[in-house]
Amino acid sequence: MNVALWVVAGLLALAFLAAGAMKLLQPKEKLIASGLGWTENYSAGAVKAIGAVEILAAIGLILPAALDIVPILVPLAALGLVIIMVGAIVVHARRKENQALVPNIVLLLLSAFVAWGRFGPHAF
């Protein structure tokens, strides 16, 4: 189970690092043009803040455990991603962007799995 938790945490970290970097580094207009229509409803600063939080969570999924420095940050980062994904699901559902719901639900479930495993039976 420990290996599965590491693999899932690594995949989540890669996904959120890429997504966060995209939101943080690209202008809002380019994000809208690339299909992230939800960004129309938020300021450029809010979109960049979401990107920064995603990057921090991605780092928090791996580094604390890998360096054995405050490993409790791993499940806290996973829990933070659960909260972010709940927000993403709400936003996409309100905008009737049903095609975005499935990936968001999958990311939510994977984040919840890491949070459950690292808070509970497979904590560091």
Side-chain angles (χ1 to χ4, degrees), residues 85-86 88-89 98 100-112:
M85 296 319 300
V86 167
I89 290 167
N98 297 329
L101 291 177
V102 172
N104 289 174
I105 291 168
V106 169
L107 290 170
L108 175 121
L109 292 173
L110 291 174
S111 299

